[in-house]
Amino acid sequence: MPYKEKEITKRYYTIGEVADDLGVATSLIRFWETEFDIINPKKNRKGNRQFTPEDIKKIKMIYHLVKEKGYTLHGARDFIKNDANAAMEKIDMIQSLKNIRGFLSELRDSIQRS
């Protein structure tokens, strides 16, 4: 059985990394932190926010509801309060589909180049 290296994953991400991943400003993430109780990043001694992968999933859920689905902040808060588990499952499914789409696009491009 061949040796396969484990994929290295970070424990904490900076607010800049999270903002770049979503394509939004860092100020928007700080604003959502004040508006939504589910976002509670750890802060280091300097006060810099350190987001876990779980925090990022929650932020992506809020991003999906507000930016993609067009919910108001109040509507997104109510949706999360009433059915957070279903929302998280839906976000996971959407992310999986985006990954598959990206893979298929790369595959198509490599076939066209051949």
Side-chain angles (χ1 to χ4, degrees):
M1 186 168 182
Y3 174 74
K4 186 175 179 181
E5 280 191 40
K6 287 174 81 177
E7 186 176 316
I8 298 173
T9 56
K10 294 174 70 174
R11 288 187 187 183
Y12 298 105
Y13 297 85
T14 65
I15 192 168
E17 291 171 325
V18 176
D20 288 343
D21 186 36
L22 292 174
V24 298
T26 56
S27 59
L28 181 63
I29 295 174
R30 285 191 294 271
F31 174 69
W32 283 348
E33 183 183 345
T34 62
E35 292 293 317
F36 294 93
D37 295 338
I38 62 171
I39 303 175
N40 293 316
K42 181 181 173 185
K43 294 184 181 176
N44 64 14
R45 290 181 187 171
K46 292 169 104 179
N48 296 336
R49 291 162 177 83
Q50 297 177 318
F51 293 91
T52 64
E54 188 64 31
D55 292 330
I56 295 171
K57 283 177 76 172
K58 293 173 185 175
I59 292 170
K60 284 183 178 182
M61 177 176 54
I62 293 168
Y63 177 86
H64 174 72
L65 293 173
V66 174
K67 295 292 188 179
E68 294 174 353
K69 289 292 190 178
Y71 279 70
T72 63
L73 293 178
H74 182 71
R77 239 183 271 119
D78 288 345
F79 185 86
I80 292 168
K81 188 185 297 182
N82 294 334
D83 209 0
N85 290 335
M88 288 298 275
E89 288 175 9
K90 196 179 268 191
I91 298 301
D92 289 340
M93 186 184 324
I94 289 169
Q95 189 60 44
S96 295
L97 290 172
K98 284 181 180 178
N99 291 341
I100 292 169
R101 184 180 190 177
F103 170 75
L104 291 174
S105 295
E106 288 177 19
L107 186 62
R108 180 193 65 214
D109 294 343
S110 67
I111 289 173
Q112 287 177 346
R113 280 185 253 140
S114 298

